[in-house]
């Protein structure tokens, strides 16, 4: 068997080993995203978060991801870690992601010139998932934007797009400043950890003075956490479970992680579990399921485009995207379920008659459902839930069914019973 | 991770106790049994037949005219929890190095390559319901298939225990 892709999974010793020892060989299926993202960093050393040593001490197996050395798993197996998150809660180090504050009177106008969201209509301290779009209507990145009541927008976007996103925002900033508008950007140095799972609230509440039951899904608050000042807690995540992301001063992130781990409910989880959790939750991975060539309509993300924005437009590529809402697109992102051999990225999707009608963009065996779940793009005619298709795995056609997402029901905390 | 560390310790001990040279005075079986004593995580069935290994981490164990094939502990540990085994049909003709199937974990897939030339006579059907046996018992209950051995001389081209240990160490460094 080829273990080439696992060459990057060795826990390195010493600084020199943070860079990959071997350049990626045969790209193995599920880890294609991991390999591609760090292919260029075999020259440049990988960056590390403030938790790097901590991860290693806790038995983390480090891999390169988006230019960063991140833990793919710890001592527990992938499946154990995944299920622990669904049944208890897990800590994920997401400090590699880009955190930005947008200041100034014209910050909303500024942000709306770049993303599809209706930022003005957000309630104070409410956030939403949104998309940076390009001039062709393709997706540059996905992000969460929160309208704080402290005079700034708080934005979290992907590590793999950090350079691209910051350059994009800076370019627009120059235009706005030149036109006399009042906007400023601040790229944050804070660390970011996610605490995800049904016991999150029980674990975190003792560390907060505010009542967590008042912090509903997609709302955010500045608050000390277990005595650590300067934290922002946002009730959101990438697993489909109830959870938070905690932005914490870098000097204190290890202390926070250690404090959380004193609770038996909490374990560390890495990128491996993060990926299978988000896929079960039907959440897109930028670079796999959405990219510069996919429009929000093709990607089945029309809901991210604010109603007012569909009328007023004003985001890049709006004149291409908005007409697609009515006219429909040739291809659409769908969920697929199958049994038998797991389905992975780049697997062809076939019509019942064997014709190629699309391609898988993400797939993995589902630890919860014990079947295979996947996302991919298919010709629009095959995009209805319940449509029977096939996937070609190792030259054999295997039956699959177009399915609703999320595959595993979401458990976001909306403040209501049930 | 733990298995790998244990194997490394065992390897170091083995070489300090048995001063092996290229033309070893020890028979393969004795090396295996010596190595085994210092390697608590290995399966006991290795005492019964000397294993030969491919550079792709399959092992083959010969009993008369039938070879049993599986993957090594190093391989199963690196792969992670196996969730699906893609194995060939009985009767499939394989040449040495032919791809005969794949093992899948949540995150990765790894192809399997035949250590020898021969015909598949039996496939481990318990793996359909319990693919995790490949992790729990890679040398015993997690065997993959049994095959005839058309060219016994091919066994000489495979690594013995000691060579495979050295090979693993060279990959890890």
């Amino acid at each position: 068997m080829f273990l080439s892709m696992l060459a990057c999974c060795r826990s390195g010793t010493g600084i020199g080993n943070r860079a990959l020892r071997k350049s990626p060989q045969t790209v193995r299926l599920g880890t294609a995203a991991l390999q591609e993202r760090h292919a260029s960093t075999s020259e440049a050393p990988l960056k590390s978060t403030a938790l790097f040593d901590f991860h290693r001490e806790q038995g983390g197996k480090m891999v390169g991801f988006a230019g960063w050395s991140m833990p793919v798993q710890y001592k527990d197996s992938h499946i154990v870690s995944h299920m622990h998150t669904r049944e208890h809660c897990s800590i994920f180090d997401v400090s590699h992601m880009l955190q930005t504050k947008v200041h100034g009177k014209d910050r909303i106008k500024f942000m709306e010139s770049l993303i599809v969201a209706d930022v003005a209509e957000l309630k104070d301290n409410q956030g939403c998932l949104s998309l940076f779009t390009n001039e062709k209507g393709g997706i540059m990145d996905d992000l969460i934007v929160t309208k704080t009541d402290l005079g700034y927008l708080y934005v979290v976007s992907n590590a793999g797009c950090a350079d691209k996103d910051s350059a994009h925002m800076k370019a627009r900033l120059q235009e706005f400043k030149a036109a006399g508008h009042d906007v400023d950007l601040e790229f944050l140095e804070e660390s970011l950890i996610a605490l995800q799972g049904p016991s999150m609230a029980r674990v975190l509440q003792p560390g907060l003075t505010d009542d967590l039951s008042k912090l509903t899904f997609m709302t955010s608050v500045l608050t000390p956490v277990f005595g650590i000042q300067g934290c922002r807690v946002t009730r959101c995540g990438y697993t489909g479970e109830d959870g938070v992301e905690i932005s914490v001063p870098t000097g204190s992130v290890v202390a926070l992680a250690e404090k959380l781990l004193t609770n038996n409910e909490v374990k560390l989880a890495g990128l491996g579990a993060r990926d299978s959790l988000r896929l079960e939750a039907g959440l897109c991975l930028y670079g796999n399921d959405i990219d510069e060539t996919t429009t929000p309509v093709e990607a089945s993300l029309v809901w991210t485009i604010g109603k007012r924005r569909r009328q007023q437009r004003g985001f890049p590529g709006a004149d291409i995207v908005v007409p697609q809402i009515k006219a429909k697109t040739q291809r659409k992102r769908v969920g697929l379920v199958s049994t038998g051999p797991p389905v992975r990225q780049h697997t062809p999707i076939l019509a019942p008659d064997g014709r190629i009608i699309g391609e898988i963009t993400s797939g993995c065996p589902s630890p919860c459902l014990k079947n295979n779940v996947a996302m991919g793009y298919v010709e629009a005619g095959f995009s209805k839930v319940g449509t029977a298709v096939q996937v070609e795995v190792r030259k054999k056609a295997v039956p699959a069914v177009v399915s609703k997402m999320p595959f595993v029901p979401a458990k976001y905390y909306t403040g209501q019973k049930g | 991770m733990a298995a790998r560390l244990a194997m490394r310790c065992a390897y170091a001990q083995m070489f300090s106790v048995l001063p092996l040279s290229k033309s070893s005075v020890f028979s393969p079986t004795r090396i295996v049994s010596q190595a085994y004593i210092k390697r608590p995580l290995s399966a006991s069935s290795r005492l019964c037949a000397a294993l030969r290994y491919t550079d792709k981490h399959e092992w083959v164990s010969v009993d008369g005219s039938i070879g049993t094939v599986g993957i090594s502990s190093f391989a199963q540990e690196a792969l992670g929890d196996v969730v699906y085994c893609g194995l060939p049909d009985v009767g499939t003709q394989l040449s040495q190095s032919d791809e005969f199937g794949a093992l899948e974990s949540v995150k990765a897939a790894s192809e399997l390559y035949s250590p020898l030339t021969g015909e598949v006579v039996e496939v481990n059907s318990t793996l359909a319901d319990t693919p995790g046996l490949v992790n729990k018992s890679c040398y015993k209950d997690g065997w993959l298939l049994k095959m005839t051995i058309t060219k016994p001389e091919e066994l000489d081209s495979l690594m013995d225990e000691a060579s495979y240990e050295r090979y693993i160490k060279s990959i890890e460094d």
Side-chain angles (χ1 to χ4, degrees):
Chain A
M1 51 185 284
F2 259 128
L3 293 173
S4 51
M5 66 86 185
L6 296 156
C8 64
C9 289
R10 303 289 174 268
S11 26
T13 49
I15 293 179
N17 286 323
R18 280 186 203 172
L20 290 176
R21 294 190 203 85
K22 293 182 196 267
S23 55
Q25 296 158 35
T26 314
V27 171
R28 277 296 140 235
L29 310 171
T31 59
L34 288 178
Q35 292 282 32
E36 285 158 10
R37 295 232 169 81
H38 64 49
S40 63
T41 62
S42 46
E43 303 91 32
L46 297 171
K47 292 180 270 199
S48 47
T49 70
L51 289 165
F52 179 84
D53 290 333
F54 175 79
H55 292 315
R56 298 270 317 285
E57 285 157 22
Q58 298 287 329
K61 290 180 187 153
M62 309 304 284
V63 297
F65 179 81
W68 293 79
S69 181
M70 302 299 290
V72 68
Q73 69 182 73
Y74 298 82
K75 290 174 190 154
D76 287 334
S77 75
H78 184 144
I79 293 180
V80 166
S81 183
H82 177 113
M83 295 311 295
H84 183 89
T85 311
R86 292 248 181 265
E87 290 163 1
H88 304 278
C89 64
S90 298
I91 299 175
F92 299 83
D93 179 10
V94 287
S95 302
H96 56 323
M97 298 184 75
L98 181 65
Q99 299 176 76
T100 312
K101 281 183 180 168
V102 188
H103 301 275
K105 260 191 333 53
D106 299 310
R107 60 190 180 280
I108 293 179
K109 196 165 160 188
F110 169 83
M111 208 61 203
E112 289 196 355
S113 77
L114 295 171
I115 67 177
V116 299
D118 202 333
V119 182
E121 250 88 273
L122 289 170
K123 297 198 200 60
D124 277 347
N125 300 312
Q126 185 184 22
C128 67
L129 175 75
S130 193
L131 311 169
F132 285 116
T133 51
N134 61 36
E135 294 300 329
K136 295 216 174 80
I139 300 170
M140 282 185 70
D141 197 8
D142 61 347
L143 61 124
I144 294 189
V145 58
T146 301
K147 190 176 116 180
T148 75
D149 63 359
L150 298 167
Y152 59 83
L153 303 175
Y154 170 63
V155 181
V156 182
S157 57
N158 284 302
C161 300
D163 291 343
K164 183 173 70 164
D165 291 350
S166 53
H168 185 56
M169 287 189 278
K170 282 183 195 164
R172 181 70 91 237
L173 182 69
Q174 291 321 306
E175 289 172 21
F176 263 60
K177 280 188 185 294
H181 294 304
D182 175 30
V183 198
D184 264 304
L185 288 177
E186 187 191 345
F187 298 107
L188 305 188
E189 297 290 332
E190 272 77 348
S191 297
L192 189 66
I193 62 175
L195 183 63
Q196 300 281 310
S199 54
M200 175 282 293
R202 227 182 324 141
V203 167
L204 192 60
Q205 184 65 78
L208 306 177
T209 45
D210 285 353
D211 182 358
L212 248 184
S213 69
K214 298 213 173 68
L215 191 74
T216 52
F217 180 59
M218 298 310 284
T219 61
S220 183
V221 67
L222 267 192
T223 171
V225 178
F226 288 108
I228 298 169
Q229 301 294 321
C231 294
R232 170 170 288 284
V233 176
T234 309
R235 201 148 191 164
C236 69
Y238 196 48
T239 60
E241 296 297 323
D242 183 23
V244 293
E245 289 184 353
I246 308 173
S247 181
V248 47
T250 292
S252 304
V253 66
V254 174
L256 179 57
E258 283 175 345
K259 177 63 183 172
L260 291 168
L261 281 176
T262 59
N263 189 317
N264 280 341
E265 281 290 304
V266 184
K267 286 191 174 208
L268 289 166
L271 293 181
R274 185 169 170 79
D275 191 45
S276 49
L277 287 160
R278 68 95 191 164
L279 190 39
E280 283 185 339
L283 300 171
C284 293
L285 173 62
Y286 189 81
N288 281 34
D289 311 303
I290 49 177
D291 61 28
E292 302 257 1
T293 70
T294 59
T295 72
V297 184
E298 289 173 325
S300 307
L301 293 173
V302 174
W303 62 270
T304 62
I305 310 174
K307 287 223 164 67
R308 174 176 58 84
R309 308 303 314 276
R310 299 177 207 189
Q311 313 307 323
Q312 294 180 358
R313 307 196 178 187
F315 56 87
D319 290 343
I320 297 173
V321 172
V322 173
Q324 284 183 348
I325 299 176
K326 231 202 185 121
K328 311 287 179 202
T329 51
Q330 274 202 328
R331 60 174 180 162
K332 278 202 67 89
R333 182 180 65 93
V334 297
L336 288 170
V337 167
S338 66
T339 55
V343 168
R344 315 272 190 184
Q345 190 185 26
H346 302 312
T347 297
I349 304 172
L350 314 175
D353 67 5
R355 188 171 64 86
I356 296 179
I357 55 168
E359 185 176 294
I360 299 289
T361 52
S362 285
C364 77
S366 163
C368 284
L369 304 173
K370 308 261 200 305
N371 58 15
N372 302 313
V373 295
M375 286 183 203
Y377 285 81
V378 290
E379 287 176 10
F382 292 88
S383 61
K384 203 161 136 220
V385 168
T387 306
V389 296
Q390 302 181 95
V391 285
E392 189 187 277
V393 184
R394 293 175 203 287
K395 304 197 180 73
K396 290 209 180 99
V398 176
V401 181
V402 174
S403 303
K404 258 185 336 97
M405 291 183 284
F407 302 101
V408 169
K411 304 219 231 104
Y412 302 131
Y413 174 73
T414 54
Q416 298 152 14
K417 201 78 181 99
Chain B
M1 189 86 140
R4 214 179 306 142
L5 286 173
M7 281 158 78
R8 258 201 227 142
C9 291
Y11 170 82
Q13 284 178 321
M14 186 170 87
F15 272 66
S16 62
V17 169
L18 308 169
L20 293 171
S21 58
K22 285 222 155 57
S23 53
S24 173
V25 294
F26 298 99
S27 72
T29 321
R30 264 187 80 182
I31 292 170
V32 167
S33 44
Q34 284 278 19
Y36 179 65
I37 289 160
K38 299 183 194 316
R39 199 171 306 138
L41 294 172
S42 306
S44 55
S45 66
R46 286 162 71 198
L47 285 170
C48 307
L51 298 183
R52 307 289 289 198
Y53 297 83
T54 71
D55 61 358
K56 299 200 174 61
H57 309 285
E58 290 87 10
W59 56 260
V60 59
S61 145
V62 178
D63 188 2
S65 59
I66 298 294
T68 304
V69 178
I71 63 162
S72 70
S73 183
F74 175 83
Q76 68 77 17
E77 212 228 302
L79 182 59
D81 292 329
V82 176
V83 298
Y84 182 83
C85 302
L87 296 173
D89 295 326
V90 168
T92 306
Q93 303 292 333
L94 296 172
S95 301
Q96 190 179 44
S97 301
D98 273 357
E99 186 185 316
F100 69 81
L103 298 177
E104 309 247 7
S105 65
V106 178
K107 203 70 175 110
S110 278
E111 279 76 35
L112 297 161
Y113 299 90
S114 185
L116 301 170
T117 301
E119 180 180 314
V120 178
V121 297
E122 199 183 338
V123 167
N124 189 346
S125 55
T126 62
L127 295 180
D129 289 326
T130 44
L133 282 174
V134 175
N135 301 108
K136 290 203 221 14
S137 180
C138 59
Y139 295 110
K140 192 162 168 274
D141 301 324
W143 64 275
L144 300 175
L145 58 79
K146 294 187 201 283
M147 61 189 298
T148 60
I149 304 174
T150 312
K151 301 182 187 169
E153 62 275 17
E154 285 175 336
L155 282 163
D156 297 332
S157 68
L158 302 177
M159 286 180 268
D160 62 13
E161 193 79 36
S163 309
Y164 181 64
E165 293 290 327
R166 281 196 298 275
Y167 174 63
I168 296 175
K169 198 167 194 307
S170 75
I171 306 176
E172 288 189 317
D173 291 340

